[in-house]
Amino acid sequence: MTGPVLEVADLHKRFGGLEAAAGINLAVRQGEFRALIGPNGAGKSTLFNLITGYLRADRGRVSVQGRDVTGLPAYRLFRRGVSRTFQISSVFSELTVLENLQVALVSYHRQLYDMFNAATRRHLAECERLIGIVGLAGERSRRAGALSHGDKKKLELAIALGNRPQLLLLDEPTAGMASSERLDSIRTVHRIVKELGVTVLFTEHDMRVVFSVADRITVLHQGRIIAEGSPEEIRRSARVQEIYLGESVGEGQER
């Protein structure tokens, strides 16, 4: 593939008098680990929801691997190789780690109408592969609700990898973690997706996390992209410094 895995062109979304997306253009290359940052209210969640089919754009286009997917619902995007994790845990607390993955794979393979037919034996090999990839082999039979916050995030990652995605969107992947856990967690995610060749777009408030792993950084402010570049270019950007209240970006502070 020669073009970008994800391409957003002239994307607009308005909520009453608020323009949450004001002509956003974005391209993410194959294998890239791209960060999307910006102050609260910049439009990051809106952009994620527009890309992943949870919101419909007023105008503009979203393409994945060169195919127009504008307005497709999330479940159809999932079947086209687009996965997403959420800031708030979205696992089934009463199911085990293994069962959570089985539910995801049954859905991906469109077997929901027959899921009670020997469901406990379905996709075991693939589930075990995913459990091993994220480091939960010792927790496969544990209820998801009893997992630590960090292990829930690992399970969510495994579920997101269940459709062998080409594009993965991570919404605040270290949210709720202790400060001391965040860097190890994001570096584990970074290693896994790089090994699998998955293209990633992620949002994150902790600038230490962003500058430790991002290949490139896109800065959003008031629904517009105001800067884009390497971590060093973003760190030196006067416009970005202004947006972040004049503080040094990427030097250990959290946002």
Side-chain angles (χ1 to χ4, degrees):
M1 173 171 181
T2 56
V5 170
L6 171 67
E7 188 171 16
V8 173
D10 194 32
L11 209 60
H12 289 258
K13 183 64 179 180
R14 180 180 288 275
F15 299 101
L18 174 65
E19 197 170 24
I24 295 174
N25 294 285
L26 174 70
V28 182
R29 300 189 305 269
Q30 172 71 45
E32 196 172 2
F33 204 82
R34 173 76 70 90
L36 177 69
I37 68 171
N40 289 335
K44 302 185 297 297
S45 294
T46 296
L47 179 56
F48 259 45
N49 287 332
L50 290 169
I51 292 170
T52 53
Y54 289 90
L55 283 175
R56 184 177 291 273
D58 298 330
R59 188 167 83 246
R61 188 184 76 252
V62 177
S63 300
V64 175
Q65 295 182 302
R67 300 174 65 182
D68 189 344
V69 298
T70 312
L72 287 185
Y75 75 91
R76 289 184 62 185
L77 285 169
F78 183 75
R79 289 172 180 156
R80 292 194 181 195
V82 180
S83 285
R84 176 181 178 178
T85 67
F86 292 85
Q87 182 175 351
I88 299 172
S89 178
S90 57
V91 300
F92 293 105
S93 296
E94 296 304 313
L95 298 183
T96 67
V97 168
L98 176 62
E99 289 166 345
N100 266 276
L101 281 164
Q102 286 177 303
V103 168
L105 290 175
V106 163
S107 174
Y108 173 61
H109 290 287
R110 307 186 187 195
Q111 298 167 330
L112 286 177
Y113 291 109
D114 191 33
M115 70 181 297
F116 295 106
N117 180 16
T120 57
R121 296 196 297 273
R122 289 181 183 228
H123 310 295
L124 284 176
E126 180 66 2
C127 289
E128 295 291 358
R129 184 185 78 86
L130 292 167
I131 287 170
I133 284 173
V134 301
L136 287 178
E139 308 288 348
R140 65 187 300 279
S141 299
R142 194 173 185 185
R143 280 194 318 107
L147 295 174
S148 68
H149 186 75
D151 282 348
K152 284 181 183 176
K153 289 291 188 180
K154 289 180 182 178
L155 176 55
E156 289 172 349
L157 177 62
I159 291 170
L161 295 174
N163 65 335
R164 304 204 175 198
Q166 295 299 309
L167 174 65
L168 174 60
L169 290 93
L170 305 175
D171 190 358
E172 300 284 350
T174 69
M177 292 185 183
S179 179
S180 59
E181 298 175 322
R182 294 176 191 169
L183 286 178
D184 284 344
S185 176
I186 198 64
R187 285 168 177 158
T188 297
V189 173
H190 183 266
R191 173 183 56 78
I192 290 169
V193 298
K194 286 292 187 180
E195 289 175 356
L196 296 175
V198 179
T199 303
V200 171
L201 177 66
F202 75 102
T203 65
E204 179 59 55
H205 278 82
D206 188 333
M207 292 297 103
R208 299 172 310 153
V209 169
V210 170
F211 282 84
S212 71
V213 294
D215 297 320
R216 287 179 66 79
I217 300 171
T218 297
V219 186
L220 199 63
H221 181 55
Q222 296 180 345
R224 293 174 171 82
I225 291 176
I226 56 98
E228 189 170 277
S230 69
E232 189 55 38
E233 289 170 333
I234 296 302
R235 184 179 282 117
R236 293 197 307 260
S237 167
R239 180 67 172 131
V240 175
Q241 296 289 344
E242 178 186 353
I243 294 300
Y244 278 91
L245 305 177
E247 296 182 14
S248 182
V249 178
E251 297 295 338
Q253 83 280 13
E254 297 176 20
R255 287 282 168 191

